[in-house]
Amino acid sequence: MVQCDSDGQHPIEYIPFLLNKARNQHLDLTIGSRFVRGDASETRTGRSSTTTLRVLGGQLVRLWLRLFFRGLNVSDPTSGFRVYSSSALDLLATVMPDEYPEPESIALIHIHGLSIGESKVIMSPRYGGKSSLTGMASQARFMLKVFLALLVLFLGGTPRGRLLETAEMAKKNRYQLQAKPMIKYY
């Protein structure tokens, strides 16, 4: 499954490259990254598609992931441009967080021994829409929420066995799972 934002930042022409990388390297999560090093012909760093504050926030989240989860090194942990395997979808169908799920989903996939990789993507500036992280208060709330969620996972607040059991149950019942309606009618 491919995930991308609809604000124009995630160039859809990269989808075949992400899918090929996921397939060829047997990755469960492939992240389209602004900051991973690409080939020598690429000169842009990816920072032109984001703000300095977001770059710093992303680097802090990257540090937390590295500190809390041995061997986990993701250069763009807040990127929403991703490809998921069916194994990752089975897991995340039952434990995916509601808000700002990107860093937490990386940790959950890592905890369960699934594979994660990144591919260089040159993102575009936002063409439309408004970020949900506008203003210092919302950005501070995001950072606090992500830190606490990663800390709880690190401390074992969500038992690994229960998550594995839930993921196995979801896998067995994959076609019986019903999506929650996005719109409520009154």
PDB file of all heavy atoms in Angstrom, residues 8 13 16 19 34 40 49-50 60 81-82 88 105 123 136 140 142 159 174:
ATOM      1  N   GLY A   8       0.566  17.992  -2.382  1.00  0.00           N
ATOM      2  CA  GLY A   8       1.507  18.215  -3.466  1.00  0.00           C
ATOM      3  C   GLY A   8       2.967  18.036  -3.085  1.00  0.00           C
ATOM      4  O   GLY A   8       3.835  18.074  -3.952  1.00  0.00           O
ATOM      5  N   GLU A  13       5.512  10.673  -9.010  1.00  0.00           N
ATOM      6  CA  GLU A  13       6.413  10.002  -9.959  1.00  0.00           C
ATOM      7  C   GLU A  13       7.455   9.133  -9.251  1.00  0.00           C
ATOM      8  O   GLU A  13       8.103   8.297  -9.879  1.00  0.00           O
ATOM      9  CB  GLU A  13       7.098  11.005 -10.897  1.00  0.00           C
ATOM     10  CG  GLU A  13       7.965  12.028 -10.222  1.00  0.00           C
ATOM     11  CD  GLU A  13       7.224  13.337  -9.861  1.00  0.00           C
ATOM     12  OE1 GLU A  13       5.988  13.348  -9.823  1.00  0.00           O
ATOM     13  OE2 GLU A  13       7.924  14.323  -9.600  1.00  0.00           O
ATOM     14  N   PRO A  16       6.779   4.433  -8.280  1.00  0.00           N
ATOM     15  CA  PRO A  16       7.378   3.202  -8.818  1.00  0.00           C
ATOM     16  C   PRO A  16       8.748   2.882  -8.202  1.00  0.00           C
ATOM     17  O   PRO A  16       9.063   1.713  -7.969  1.00  0.00           O
ATOM     18  CB  PRO A  16       7.509   3.481 -10.315  1.00  0.00           C
ATOM     19  CG  PRO A  16       6.486   4.523 -10.599  1.00  0.00           C
ATOM     20  CD  PRO A  16       6.424   5.372  -9.359  1.00  0.00           C
ATOM     21  N   LEU A  19       8.102   1.484  -4.688  1.00  0.00           N
ATOM     22  CA  LEU A  19       7.570   0.121  -4.796  1.00  0.00           C
ATOM     23  C   LEU A  19       8.666  -0.867  -5.187  1.00  0.00           C
ATOM     24  O   LEU A  19       8.748  -1.969  -4.631  1.00  0.00           O
ATOM     25  CB  LEU A  19       6.426   0.076  -5.808  1.00  0.00           C
ATOM     26  CG  LEU A  19       5.131   0.751  -5.372  1.00  0.00           C
ATOM     27  CD1 LEU A  19       4.164   0.875  -6.557  1.00  0.00           C
ATOM     28  CD2 LEU A  19       4.479  -0.012  -4.230  1.00  0.00           C
ATOM     29  N   ARG A  34      13.363  12.885   2.525  1.00  0.00           N
ATOM     30  CA  ARG A  34      13.997  14.124   2.050  1.00  0.00           C
ATOM     31  C   ARG A  34      15.480  14.153   2.372  1.00  0.00           C
ATOM     32  O   ARG A  34      16.235  14.857   1.733  1.00  0.00           O
ATOM     33  CB  ARG A  34      13.364  15.333   2.764  1.00  0.00           C
ATOM     34  CG  ARG A  34      11.969  15.639   2.380  1.00  0.00           C
ATOM     35  CD  ARG A  34      11.411  16.655   3.351  1.00  0.00           C
ATOM     36  NE  ARG A  34      10.934  15.937   4.534  1.00  0.00           N
ATOM     37  CZ  ARG A  34       9.751  16.104   5.082  1.00  0.00           C
ATOM     38  NH1 ARG A  34       8.930  17.008   4.615  1.00  0.00           N
ATOM     39  NH2 ARG A  34       9.378  15.408   6.118  1.00  0.00           N
ATOM     40  N   ALA A  40      25.196  10.531  -6.409  1.00  0.00           N
ATOM     41  CA  ALA A  40      26.082  11.699  -6.469  1.00  0.00           C
ATOM     42  C   ALA A  40      25.523  12.824  -7.337  1.00  0.00           C
ATOM     43  O   ALA A  40      25.918  13.975  -7.177  1.00  0.00           O
ATOM     44  CB  ALA A  40      27.456  11.275  -6.985  1.00  0.00           C
ATOM     45  N   SER A  49      11.930  21.973   0.883  1.00  0.00           N
ATOM     46  CA  SER A  49      10.506  21.658   0.916  1.00  0.00           C
ATOM     47  C   SER A  49       9.926  21.723   2.323  1.00  0.00           C
ATOM     48  O   SER A  49       8.781  21.363   2.532  1.00  0.00           O
ATOM     49  CB  SER A  49      10.268  20.254   0.347  1.00  0.00           C
ATOM     50  OG  SER A  49      10.870  19.285   1.177  1.00  0.00           O
ATOM     51  N   THR A  50      10.703  22.179   3.291  1.00  0.00           N
ATOM     52  CA  THR A  50      10.224  22.227   4.668  1.00  0.00           C
ATOM     53  C   THR A  50      10.843  23.421   5.389  1.00  0.00           C
ATOM     54  O   THR A  50      11.676  24.128   4.838  1.00  0.00           O
ATOM     55  CB  THR A  50      10.530  20.894   5.390  1.00  0.00           C
ATOM     56  OG1 THR A  50       9.834  20.857   6.626  1.00  0.00           O
ATOM     57  CG2 THR A  50      12.023  20.688   5.610  1.00  0.00           C
ATOM     58  N   LEU A  60      15.194  15.735  16.101  1.00  0.00           N
ATOM     59  CA  LEU A  60      14.971  15.361  17.501  1.00  0.00           C
ATOM     60  C   LEU A  60      14.212  14.032  17.583  1.00  0.00           C
ATOM     61  O   LEU A  60      14.576  13.149  18.367  1.00  0.00           O
ATOM     62  CB  LEU A  60      14.214  16.467  18.230  1.00  0.00           C
ATOM     63  CG  LEU A  60      14.087  16.337  19.738  1.00  0.00           C
ATOM     64  CD1 LEU A  60      15.451  16.173  20.415  1.00  0.00           C
ATOM     65  CD2 LEU A  60      13.361  17.552  20.314  1.00  0.00           C
ATOM     66  N   PHE A  81       5.337   9.871   3.203  1.00  0.00           N
ATOM     67  CA  PHE A  81       5.412   9.247   1.876  1.00  0.00           C
ATOM     68  C   PHE A  81       5.995   7.866   2.078  1.00  0.00           C
ATOM     69  O   PHE A  81       7.205   7.718   2.294  1.00  0.00           O
ATOM     70  CB  PHE A  81       6.277  10.106   0.965  1.00  0.00           C
ATOM     71  CG  PHE A  81       6.136   9.820  -0.507  1.00  0.00           C
ATOM     72  CD1 PHE A  81       5.069   9.110  -1.019  1.00  0.00           C
ATOM     73  CD2 PHE A  81       7.085  10.305  -1.387  1.00  0.00           C
ATOM     74  CE1 PHE A  81       4.943   8.875  -2.379  1.00  0.00           C
ATOM     75  CE2 PHE A  81       6.976  10.085  -2.752  1.00  0.00           C
ATOM     76  CZ  PHE A  81       5.904   9.363  -3.250  1.00  0.00           C
ATOM     77  N   ARG A  82       5.138   6.822   2.010  1.00  0.00           N
ATOM     78  CA  ARG A  82       5.556   5.490   2.434  1.00  0.00           C
ATOM     79  C   ARG A  82       4.927   4.387   1.601  1.00  0.00           C
ATOM     80  O   ARG A  82       3.876   4.563   1.009  1.00  0.00           O
ATOM     81  CB  ARG A  82       5.114   5.264   3.881  1.00  0.00           C
ATOM     82  CG  ARG A  82       5.763   6.206   4.852  1.00  0.00           C
ATOM     83  CD  ARG A  82       5.020   6.210   6.165  1.00  0.00           C
ATOM     84  NE  ARG A  82       5.858   6.839   7.169  1.00  0.00           N
ATOM     85  CZ  ARG A  82       6.017   6.382   8.390  1.00  0.00           C
ATOM     86  NH1 ARG A  82       5.374   5.329   8.790  1.00  0.00           N
ATOM     87  NH2 ARG A  82       6.819   6.998   9.225  1.00  0.00           N
ATOM     88  N   ALA A  88       3.231  -5.337   7.476  1.00  0.00           N
ATOM     89  CA  ALA A  88       3.167  -4.076   8.216  1.00  0.00           C
ATOM     90  C   ALA A  88       1.721  -3.616   8.359  1.00  0.00           C
ATOM     91  O   ALA A  88       1.306  -3.140   9.422  1.00  0.00           O
ATOM     92  CB  ALA A  88       4.002  -3.004   7.516  1.00  0.00           C
ATOM     93  N   SER A 105       4.641   4.534  14.240  1.00  0.00           N
ATOM     94  CA  SER A 105       4.536   3.358  13.373  1.00  0.00           C
ATOM     95  C   SER A 105       5.922   2.813  13.045  1.00  0.00           C
ATOM     96  O   SER A 105       6.096   1.594  12.958  1.00  0.00           O
ATOM     97  CB  SER A 105       3.746   3.677  12.105  1.00  0.00           C
ATOM     98  OG  SER A 105       4.413   4.618  11.307  1.00  0.00           O
ATOM     99  N   MET A 123      11.238  16.225  -2.370  1.00  0.00           N
ATOM    100  CA  MET A 123       9.884  16.694  -2.112  1.00  0.00           C
ATOM    101  C   MET A 123       9.704  18.100  -2.676  1.00  0.00           C
ATOM    102  O   MET A 123      10.648  18.855  -2.840  1.00  0.00           O
ATOM    103  CB  MET A 123       9.604  16.721  -0.618  1.00  0.00           C
ATOM    104  CG  MET A 123       9.869  15.412   0.074  1.00  0.00           C
ATOM    105  SD  MET A 123       8.409  14.471   0.280  1.00  0.00           S
ATOM    106  CE  MET A 123       9.030  13.139   1.302  1.00  0.00           C
ATOM    107  N   MET A 136       3.479  27.509  17.339  1.00  0.00           N
ATOM    108  CA  MET A 136       4.362  26.906  18.338  1.00  0.00           C
ATOM    109  C   MET A 136       3.617  25.930  19.247  1.00  0.00           C
ATOM    110  O   MET A 136       4.154  24.889  19.609  1.00  0.00           O
ATOM    111  CB  MET A 136       5.043  27.996  19.174  1.00  0.00           C
ATOM    112  CG  MET A 136       6.096  28.775  18.402  1.00  0.00           C
ATOM    113  SD  MET A 136       7.449  27.722  17.807  1.00  0.00           S
ATOM    114  CE  MET A 136       8.286  27.390  19.338  1.00  0.00           C
ATOM    115  N   ALA A 140       4.717  22.128  19.703  1.00  0.00           N
ATOM    116  CA  ALA A 140       5.145  21.650  21.021  1.00  0.00           C
ATOM    117  C   ALA A 140       4.309  20.453  21.445  1.00  0.00           C
ATOM    118  O   ALA A 140       4.836  19.474  22.000  1.00  0.00           O
ATOM    119  CB  ALA A 140       5.040  22.777  22.047  1.00  0.00           C
ATOM    120  N   PHE A 142       2.848  18.297  19.447  1.00  0.00           N
ATOM    121  CA  PHE A 142       3.303  17.184  18.619  1.00  0.00           C
ATOM    122  C   PHE A 142       4.560  16.549  19.214  1.00  0.00           C
ATOM    123  O   PHE A 142       4.639  15.332  19.371  1.00  0.00           O
ATOM    124  CB  PHE A 142       3.579  17.672  17.194  1.00  0.00           C
ATOM    125  CG  PHE A 142       4.350  16.683  16.343  1.00  0.00           C
ATOM    126  CD1 PHE A 142       3.716  15.599  15.771  1.00  0.00           C
ATOM    127  CD2 PHE A 142       5.714  16.843  16.126  1.00  0.00           C
ATOM    128  CE1 PHE A 142       4.420  14.686  14.994  1.00  0.00           C
ATOM    129  CE2 PHE A 142       6.429  15.942  15.357  1.00  0.00           C
ATOM    130  CZ  PHE A 142       5.776  14.860  14.787  1.00  0.00           C
ATOM    131  N   PRO A 159       2.564  -4.133  25.876  1.00  0.00           N
ATOM    132  CA  PRO A 159       3.276  -5.418  25.848  1.00  0.00           C
ATOM    133  C   PRO A 159       3.461  -5.945  24.437  1.00  0.00           C
ATOM    134  O   PRO A 159       2.517  -6.017  23.666  1.00  0.00           O
ATOM    135  CB  PRO A 159       2.368  -6.339  26.664  1.00  0.00           C
ATOM    136  CG  PRO A 159       1.525  -5.430  27.490  1.00  0.00           C
ATOM    137  CD  PRO A 159       1.389  -4.165  26.698  1.00  0.00           C
ATOM    138  N   ARG A 174      -8.041 -10.624   8.110  1.00  0.00           N
ATOM    139  CA  ARG A 174      -7.783  -9.450   7.273  1.00  0.00           C
ATOM    140  C   ARG A 174      -9.015  -9.005   6.493  1.00  0.00           C
ATOM    141  O   ARG A 174      -9.361  -7.846   6.461  1.00  0.00           O
ATOM    142  CB  ARG A 174      -6.658  -9.727   6.299  1.00  0.00           C
ATOM    143  CG  ARG A 174      -6.488  -8.590   5.288  1.00  0.00           C
ATOM    144  CD  ARG A 174      -5.496  -8.915   4.229  1.00  0.00           C
ATOM    145  NE  ARG A 174      -4.188  -8.587   4.746  1.00  0.00           N
ATOM    146  CZ  ARG A 174      -3.069  -8.947   4.164  1.00  0.00           C
ATOM    147  NH1 ARG A 174      -3.085  -9.663   3.081  1.00  0.00           N
ATOM    148  NH2 ARG A 174      -1.920  -8.606   4.670  1.00  0.00           N
TER     149      ARG A 174
END
